[in-house]
């Protein structure tokens, strides 16, 4: 049987048309699921009994098992959910000045193998379904609704590579953005990729105005290939061709993410190279303080840049008229960095 959360309204329309019903039925189902937050088809009282029975035959409404919830001093909440097949995933909720944003996981594990990222240490087990992504938002939203709050922003920056799970992710975007669904504005949603070039071209044609972020982290091929496997397949010139196509097609600004790693990519020389690479493009750089893990690469322990170096890097970019922000840290006391909670949980289990 299929989870109803796998279905965008467009897909549900097709289902109802096939059952000789009007499209309005899918609007009613959406309102019940995402506005009233129904968890039982019997509660859709504007449906005849017969139609409710039909839904029950073809679909079910799943629920995650919450394995763990941690809350940090800055109100960041981290959830560990168990999927039906026993896989564990994590979701992080952050409080911002503009609302509550949720960072969702798109795959169980990840195959991109970025040398600095804890997620890559556990290989991809499988793609998450659309439903499993929708459920992360719903579960967390339900919890904070009780405190009179709501999830207003979504970032696809948890474990996994969203563009390696492209179709399910796009269907997820349609559902959360739908006015009859969770109604999260497309400009409040950001999808982050390590740079799967063919998908950047495809995504440029996607009609919803969702923000795109590229995990750049290094500004020359030699370094980038050393730390990010994806760069061997799609080196910087190919990545930037795709990025320029994206600009041309969408006219939208995009974000380059840049983790600052001590003595690896945080020198003024690195900053200079970065400026050269992105100058004149409609983009801004989000500098990210590295969340220390215990990862050794080429027998060096990767660590966060010092405050002074981060500041100097930031200042250099600013001075050169690059739009730049230095990400404020959240949830540091609860391991809210990519992959850390899940990794711990797995280590406890074995
Ligand atoms: N695969 C996608 C999305 C998931 S990772 C991508 O690569 O963009 C989300 C962001 O967190 C990426 O920019 C990633 O490089 C970064 N990241 C990974 N490990 C980190 C760490 N320990 N500290 C800070 N950022 C990290």
């Amino acid at each position: 049987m299929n989870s109803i959360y796998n279905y965008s309204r467009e897909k549900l329309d097709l289902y109802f048309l096939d059952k000789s019903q009007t499209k309005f039925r899918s609007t009613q189902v959406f309102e019940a699921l995402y506005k009233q937050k129904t968890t039982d088809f019997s509660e859709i009282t504007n449906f005849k009994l017969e139609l409710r029975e039909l839904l029950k035959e073809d679909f079910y409404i799943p629920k995650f098992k919450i394995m763990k919830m941690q809350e940090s001093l800055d109100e960041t909440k981290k959830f560990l959910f168990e999927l039906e097949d026993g896989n564990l995933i994590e979701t992080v909720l952050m409080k911002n000045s503009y609302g509550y944003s949720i960072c969702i996981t798109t795959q169980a594990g990840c195959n991109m193998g970025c040398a600095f990222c804890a997620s890559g240490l556990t290989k991809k087990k499988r793609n998450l379904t659309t439903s499993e992504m929708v459920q992360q938002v719903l579960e967390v939203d339900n919890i904070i609704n009780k405190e009179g709050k709501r999830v207003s922003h979504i970032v696809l920056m948890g474990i996994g590579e969203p563009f390696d799970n492209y179709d399910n992710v796009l269907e997820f975007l349609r559902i959360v953005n739908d006015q009859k669904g969770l109604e999260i504005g497309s400009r409040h949603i950001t999808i982050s990729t390590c740079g799967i070039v063919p998908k950047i071209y495809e995504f440029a044609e996607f009609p919803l105005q969702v923000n795109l972020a590229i995990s750049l982290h290094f500004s020359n091929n030699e370094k980038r290939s050393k730390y990010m496997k994806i760069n061997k397949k799609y080196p910087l010139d190919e990545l930037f061709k795709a990025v320029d196509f994206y600009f041309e097609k969408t006219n939208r600004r995009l974000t380059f993410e840049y983790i600052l790693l001590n003595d690896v990519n945080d020198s003024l020389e690195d900053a200079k190279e970065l400026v050269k690479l992105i100058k004149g493009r409609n983009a801004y750089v989000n500098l990210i303080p590295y969340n220390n893990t215990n990862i050794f690469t080429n027998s060096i322990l990767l660590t966060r840049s010092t405050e002074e170096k981060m500041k100097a890097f930031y200042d250099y970019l600013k001075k050169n008229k690059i739009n730049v922000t230095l990400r404020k840290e959240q949830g540091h006391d609860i391991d809210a960095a990519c992959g850390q909670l899940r990794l711990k949980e797995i280590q406890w289990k074995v």
Side-chain angles (χ1 to χ4, degrees), residues 116-117 157-158 160-161 192-194 215 217 257 259 290-291 338:
F116 45 80
C117 178
M157 293 188 186
E161 167 50 50
S192 177
T193 179
C194 63
S215 295
H217 307 323
E257 293 159 279
I259 301 175
Y290 182 59
N291 270 309
C338 311

Side-chain angles (χ1 to χ4, degrees), residues 59-105:
F59 304 104
Y60 73 107
I61 305 180
K63 200 165 164 37
F64 280 154
K65 208 155 129 194
I66 304 181
M67 300 295 283
K68 194 171 261 188
M69 193 189 100
Q70 291 179 301
E71 181 158 7
S72 86
L73 300 172
D74 61 12
E75 259 194 74
T76 301
K77 286 190 176 73
K78 182 144 179 161
F79 301 84
L80 188 73
F81 295 121
E82 187 180 65
L83 307 181
E84 281 168 16
D85 63 359
N87 269 308
L88 299 172
I89 57 161
E90 61 188 28
T91 307
V92 179
L93 176 81
M94 289 158 292
K95 185 186 181 186
N96 304 95
S97 54
Y98 47 78
Y100 286 86
S101 63
I102 184 173
C103 176
I104 74 144
T105 289

